[in-house]
Amino acid sequence: LATSSAINATLFGSAHLASQMATDSLAPKAFSFRRPRSNVPVVGIIVITALALTFTILGNLDIIASFSSMTFLLVSIVVTIANLRLRKKTSSNLTLIILGLVLMGVTVLTLAVYMAQNNLFNLIFTLCVYSLTGVTHVICEYTRRSYRMRTGKENGEIHDWGAQQGGYLGLP
């Protein structure tokens, strides 16, 4: 039951995050579509579910656990760096922020060494997924900037074919 709850929370949380990113022109526009009656980000849920199924089919529990742990740590580091930059607004203690960054950095290195020693495939798989994500981000950012320079328009002004079709998936 706890695993199902965690999967459900992660799925919907990630889908809502992707939807908000699309609304802010930081992800493909299709992710911003929400089902009108329920406000559920349908495209995000479908894509994230497909990715989760792919991970499940291609890997095993060890890969999923290793990848999830590393991702959680890296996201925590990024959030902590954001807090470091905003520490005057958040009234955060610089010593605690630095201590947290050091401890998370050591933990990431420890996990990477553990993965390299015990199952190199998991480390390579994790690094490949991160690399693919980075390359995809660079391509999307380049495409967005290129479009803006060519047309003088922001992504939000792009012709929204989904709205004219009654929604991106034809859902009411």
Side-chain angles (χ1 to χ4, degrees):
L1 184 60
T3 303
S4 299
S5 177
I7 290 169
N8 189 44
T10 302
L11 177 65
F12 279 89
S14 300
H16 281 279
L17 177 62
S19 177
Q20 185 59 49
M21 288 175 65
T23 300
D24 294 341
S25 298
L26 297 172
K29 185 82 171 155
F31 284 103
S32 68
F33 172 74
R34 291 175 181 256
R35 194 160 187 193
R37 278 186 249 144
S38 60
N39 199 33
V40 173
V42 179
V43 174
I45 289 175
I46 291 170
V47 170
I48 292 167
T49 300
L51 288 172
L53 287 173
T54 302
F55 271 109
T56 304
I57 291 168
L58 293 179
N60 55 33
L61 188 57
D62 191 37
I63 289 175
I64 294 168
S66 299
F67 179 80
S68 299
S69 297
M70 184 69 77
T71 301
F72 175 79
L73 285 166
L74 293 174
V75 168
S76 295
I77 288 171
V78 170
V79 169
T80 304
I81 290 170
N83 188 34
L84 176 66
R85 294 180 71 189
L86 297 170
R87 71 182 177 277
K88 290 183 182 174
K89 290 183 180 178
T90 61
S91 301
S92 297
N93 183 318
L94 180 61
T95 305
L96 292 177
I97 294 172
I98 300 299
L99 180 62
L101 283 172
V102 168
L103 290 174
M104 286 185 284
V106 168
T107 305
V108 166
L109 290 175
T110 303
L111 180 57
V113 168
Y114 174 82
M115 290 167 71
Q117 290 175 344
N118 292 295
N119 196 336
L120 187 59
F121 177 78
N122 289 358
L123 180 61
I124 292 170
F125 178 82
T126 300
L127 294 175
C128 286
V129 171
Y130 292 150
S131 298
L132 180 62
T133 302
V135 167
T136 302
H137 172 72
V138 169
I139 290 170
C140 288
E141 187 64 22
Y142 173 78
T143 303
R144 185 175 68 84
R145 287 183 183 180
S146 175
Y147 178 84
R148 186 176 24 190
M149 288 190 315
R150 241 183 12 259
T151 64
K153 296 179 181 179
E154 292 292 326
N155 279 359
E157 299 176 65
I158 297 173
H159 176 68
D160 192 357
W161 61 269
Q164 294 196 353
Q165 301 298 323
Y168 289 96
L169 300 175
L171 298 172

